Amino acid sequence: MKGKTILWIAGSLGIIFLALIPFAYDIFPFLPPGLVNNYTMHVLIISFYYAVLASSWSLLMGYAGQFSFAHMAFAGLAGYTTGMMGKFWGTGPLTGIIAGTMVAGIFGLIVGLLVLRLRSTYLALFTIAFAEIMRFVTNAEIYYTGGGNGLQMDPLLPNGLDLGFYSFDSVDKIPPYFIMFGLMLILIAFMSWLANTRFGLFLRAIREDEEAAAAMGVNVIRYKVLVFAITSMVVGLVSGVRAHYITIISPNDMIILWMSLVITMAVLGGLESLVASAIGAIVIFVTLEYLKTNFATTSVMTIALTLIFGLILYQLGIYAAKRSGTVLKNIHKTMLSVGSAIVGLGISIVTVAPITTGISNAYYDISGSLLPDQIDMSDWRLVIFGLALMLTLRFYQNGLLYPIIQRVSRAGHLAETVAKRDAAGTITEAEAGS
Amino acid sequence: MHASPLLQEFNSGPAAIIFLWVVFWAVVGGVITPRVYRKKDLDASSATLYGAIAGAGTGPILPAYLWYKTPELNFPWRWSSLPSILIFSVLPSIFTFALLYWAFAVYHPSNLCVAEGKGSYLFSQVSNGVLVGVLYGLIALGLTLIFSILGIVSFAHGQFYMIGGYVLFYVVDGKFGAGLNPVVGLLATGLVTFLIGIIFERALLRPMHQGKVERPGEYAILLTFGLAFFLEYSVQATLGTNPRKASAILPIGIVKWLQDVTGMPPTRVIGFMIGLAVLGILYWFLNYTWPGKALRSVSQDKQAAAVVGINPLNVNTLAFGLGAMLAGISGAALVQVFTWAPNVGAIASARSFVVIVLGGMGSLVGAMVGGLVIGVVEAVGVGCFPDSGRALAYQPVFGLIIFAIVLLLKPTGLFGREL
Amino acid sequence: MSEIHLQVNNLTKDFGGLRAVNNVSFEIHGPELIGMIGPNGAGKTTVTNLLNGAMVPSSGTIYLNGQRIDGNKPYQIARVGLGRTFQVTRSFRRMTVLENMLVPGMALHTTANRKDVGKKAWEVLDFLTFEHQANDYARSLSGGQQKLLELGRLLMLDPQIIILDEPFAGVHPKLMEKIYEYINTVNAQGKAFILISHDMDTIFALSKRLLVLDFGSLIADGTPEEVRHDPVVIEAYLGEEDEEDVPVVDVYHMVEEGEI
Ligand SMILES: Nc1ncnc2c1ncn2[C@@H]1O[C@H](COP(=O)(O)OP(=O)(O)OP(=O)(O)O)[C@@H](O)[C@H]1O
Ligand SMILES: [Mg+2]
């Protein structure tokens, strides 16, 4: 119980924090200028979009075990639907977005029906083929889709928004921010609710063993198709909004790279938790955006070395703590693990940083002519994320965030089980004795 | 924007009828045949596919025969099964093509593929397709080898191919690279990709085979996917995205001679020859060397291999390394054919999936046949697509559509064994 | 307790050229306790798969309480009252014991409410003296405990006919007692059982009626006493007839050998 309360408080604080960010925006004269600028707002809006994508992919993959690469294709479908409706029929964003959501849902349904027989690898391959066909077709059908140049469309609020006391014009970031933010909250809440109903329960049973689930009375086909349709609709909805927000959609939005980012986000956050993968998505997307610039070579080297040494020290620390476990028995185990993760990493980084700075400066001085002053991180950041994906999979299969959430929410549960088991054990022994 | 002039002589009526005829009977054959087989308690796993092909090619004739006689439809690759393969898949496929060709001729007489006296155009498209098809098969060989031993599809396959090409380029090229002999380049390519492959397998994939991983299937996909990501952007970060084009890797005299003799782009012919050579070496390796025999025995029966004293874990590592090396060498063979950039890997991966699914996952012969089919389909598709303006943009789609259909009809492919 | 009537007519199943189940007919009336035996590969599991809809029969019909169920989907058959366990336990490994129990409970009625189902799940767990592990992941259970979990899931499904495929394989005697108790209690509550086992002692002791399968055919159907002295069964199991005294142990050992 206590653990759950902590999580609720942390979650609410996070939401309030995100909801307050726009109020630090330039337009409000009473705040220091430049605290939050257009770019920050943009990055956050898009990160909310990715949060929904990663979260729905978790529902599909983490809950239902359906490995699909078609997420971006559904997103593209919805975006192009609203764009083309606007272009040919002159419909407004709202109509278009709703229609796009429907189209994505229908295609989700069809794909779901088609792939019923396919499992893991074959499913992944089929969905890749589907996604690639969609992308090539949009690229080629220039008359309808604008081809590689993309399809222009209306802004989300073509006439801006008039609140009476303040009016926003159509390019202001604040209305889209709250629209996307609200959508994200609603959709994730909706999916979490779904995941906690019979629907989520059955999906997990299907993921574990389709045949056994069927023998237990679960209508496997219906739920597998439904989960495809629902996640496609969720994706379609936010994709339509995003397309109108940036006023353009192009086939490049559907390349496998973006899909792999979504996958990485979900895996790093934790595939089996919708909220964890959403948080993972926001953190990763923001990080990725801010890594897109040039960095001084020495600082990159320092950070890399610090992390490596820091992690080694941290692991040593954990090992030592485990060895001396008997001494620490009475300290709350959860506090120990979460606390040591933060404190341990912090301490090791602080202690190592001066050394690594020294090393990298020295190395840079020696090989100064070979290394550039600045490193363009826009490719390296993706290298790092590929590496992070592999290492997370290998060593933290439940993701980085989810285990912490789970630890906190199940705090005390382990002790409880052990106590119960001991009690049960003594009873049976007593029975056996008598 | 505007339909190209060629498309304007459009006479869709008769063509549409022919087209619908083909689709209709394909659907009828595909839907009814497995039901008939199941009714008679026969193995129906291939009936959908063969029924569909039969319907597409011959209308009601061959499907009716299938329903009436219900012959055995599983054709593992053997010489003795060649006639059956011919009758049930190759011939009806040819008929299908002929019908579609006719449809083209009817509605689009000016199309280069069917125009009077342009037979040589189609021929050159097909032979080009065969040439490229062998190369596609070559790229996919490693992937199918890995699948036959480890039971996984490596999503990083194309990235090994890409790296192979780059290694050769930087070893051989005089301007950007070291300007060494192509043979050195090939060896370096093989070594580099082999090493990356075995390190990755040993460090990250092995736990999967030791039962330490909860959902091995997904783990393998995600992990190789992460590797693909990692490799592609490592290369992009260090080498940049400027496209590279290697010159032919044989002395200029031979290249000239090749061009004269074959009348085809010499770089492709060289790639083709390297492909055949690699296929031969692989055949020799698998059949006549000890590690090759170990590989084959593991692919047939894991337990038995373990009993004989082969450690299947090491065989896995070896197989993954070899698969990566095959990808690398095919990259090396093709870097002189195509323009090279870090993103060629993704395209090669996608195409290899198409090829191995078509040929049957885990079947080496199947990979070559699949490569040929895709090569020809793409070349003919591009050559004959009514709107030449869009034809090139659709090139990969022709293969992908066949791929999706095969996945749905018969996931084990043309020569695949049941999983 | 509603009427139980299972009627199996001329059930046949072919795999390619292999006839795994050959023209099997039998009926179950009321809460019977039936044992099904037969050497390895006799077709016992296949019969189970046919009954629960996991496989479609090549020919033959199955009626449950007058309703034809062959050709129906497994989930439909599960909901009309036929439950089974699997020879190799198939728990939902990454779900807790309680969640495992909720699945059939919630699947049974579209209107099922989690609270009621949860309450029932706790009762079942209590009955199986299993509640201390309710929140453990199924994958962390031992093999025997997973069998118990499967039995619990079945109770949640509340079927009229329960087929247990090898419930005693690899189970400690102490847990075995618990499973006997389970079978007897649930049977007394009016549910029919089909027990599949190679453990002859147990099956002869527990069941009131035996079905003997051999090469897919039903070669005997009668009380344990009848079956024990049935010449066809003796022929099939022993190869030669031993007039006077055919000890159960011998039958058992022959089967054991067949297994090797
Ligand atoms: N899905 C299948 N495909 C092909 N053959 C099968 C299949 N399932 C079972 N068989 C075959 O059917 C026969 C009967 O198998 P079944 O599993 O029913 O035997 P069983 O009586 O349960 O044996 P055991 O005591 O070993 O569990 C066997 O010969 C088996 O090889
Ligand atoms: Mg069995």
Side-chain angles (χ1 to χ4, degrees), chain A residues 102 140 160 289 321 410:
Chain A
M102 294 298 157
E289 276 305 310
R410 284 170 75 121

Side-chain angles (χ1 to χ4, degrees), chain B residues 7-253:
Chain B
L7 200 61
Q8 279 159 8
E9 314 161 20
F10 187 77
N11 178 13
S12 59
I17 292 175
I18 301 173
F19 188 72
L20 285 179
W21 164 272
V22 169
V23 172
F24 174 76
W25 285 109
V27 171
V28 168
V31 170
I32 297 186
T33 314
R35 277 161 211 259
V36 174
Y37 272 71
R38 246 174 254 133
K39 263 249 159 64
K40 296 196 185 174
D41 293 320
L42 295 165
D43 175 15
S45 54
S46 318
T48 319
L49 179 69
Y50 287 104
I53 298 178
T58 65
I61 301 168
L62 195 54
Y65 174 78
L66 286 179
W67 303 337
Y68 181 63
K69 286 272 193 191
T70 51
E72 175 88 29
L73 282 182
N74 269 329
F75 309 124
W77 173 251
R78 255 181 253 114
W79 282 112
S80 57
S81 52
L82 191 61
S84 319
I85 293 178
L86 277 181
I87 293 176
F88 292 114
S89 52
V90 178
L91 280 183
S93 306
I94 292 176
F95 285 153
T96 314
F97 274 110
L99 275 172
L100 294 177
Y101 182 83
W102 184 37
F104 261 106
V106 169
Y107 93 91
H108 199 201
S110 61
N111 190 303
L112 281 176
C113 279
V114 291
E116 207 73 38
K118 287 285 170 64
S120 64
Y121 174 76
L122 193 64
F123 176 77
S124 77
Q125 276 313 81
V126 171
S127 51
N128 243 325
V130 169
L131 211 58
V132 173
V134 169
L135 305 183
Y136 289 172
L138 176 66
I139 302 174
L141 269 184
L143 193 60
T144 208
L145 179 75
I146 292 174
F147 184 84
S148 73
I149 311 281
L150 285 89
I152 64 166
V153 169
S154 163
F155 281 75
H157 193 70
Q159 277 68 28
F160 282 109
Y161 162 83
M162 178 265 295
I163 288 180
Y166 269 116
V167 172
L168 186 98
F169 178 82
Y170 279 100
V171 172
V172 173
D173 192 84
K175 190 164 150 226
F176 294 99
L180 298 175
N181 187 303
V183 176
V184 180
L186 272 179
L187 289 178
T189 302
L191 196 68
V192 169
T193 43
F194 183 74
L195 283 180
I196 302 177
I198 56 172
I199 291 171
F200 172 75
E201 207 288 336
R202 183 69 188 75
L204 295 171
L205 275 183
R206 181 168 285 197
M208 185 183 95
H209 296 287
Q210 292 169 322
K212 288 184 189 160
V213 172
E214 195 62 53
R215 295 177 65 75
E218 275 84 32
Y219 177 77
I221 301 176
L222 286 170
L223 204 63
T224 51
F225 202 67
L227 179 68
F229 213 66
F230 175 71
L231 291 180
E232 176 162 342
Y233 289 100
S234 301
V235 171
Q236 184 162 323
T238 40
L239 300 181
T241 49
N242 286 343
R244 299 272 182 244
K245 180 91 206 239
S247 42
I249 56 175
L250 290 183
I252 194 79

Side-chain angles (χ1 to χ4, degrees), chain C residues 10 34 70 82 198:
Chain C
N10 305 338
I34 301 173
D70 59 278
L82 193 147
H198 290 299

Side-chain angles (χ1 to χ4, degrees), chain A residues 61 120 141-142 260 379 394, chain B residues 1 218 225 236 390 394:
Chain A
M61 169 65 197
S120 64
E141 294 299 329
I142 297 172
S260 39
D379 287 328
R394 172 68 186 87
Chain B
M1 274 357 96
E218 275 84 32
F225 202 67
Q236 184 162 323
R390 278 179 298 182
Y394 271 118

Side-chain angles (χ1 to χ4, degrees), chain A residues 37 41 76 127 142 154 175 191 217 231 241 289 295 308 324 343 357 374 383 385 422:
Chain A
N37 53 28
M41 295 287 283
T127 47
I142 297 172
D154 285 341
M191 288 190 291
T231 50
V241 173
E289 276 305 310
F295 285 84
I308 293 169
S324 53
V343 177
T357 318
Q374 302 263 306
V383 176
F385 278 91
D422 289 350

Side-chain angles (χ1 to χ4, degrees), chain A residues 152-176:
Chain A
Q152 302 279 345
M153 58 187 94
D154 285 341
L156 201 51
L157 300 166
N159 306 316
L161 182 69
D162 192 1
L163 290 178
F165 60 92
Y166 193 94
S167 64
F168 298 97
D169 66 24
S170 66
V171 292
D172 258 326
K173 300 280 181 197
I174 288 185

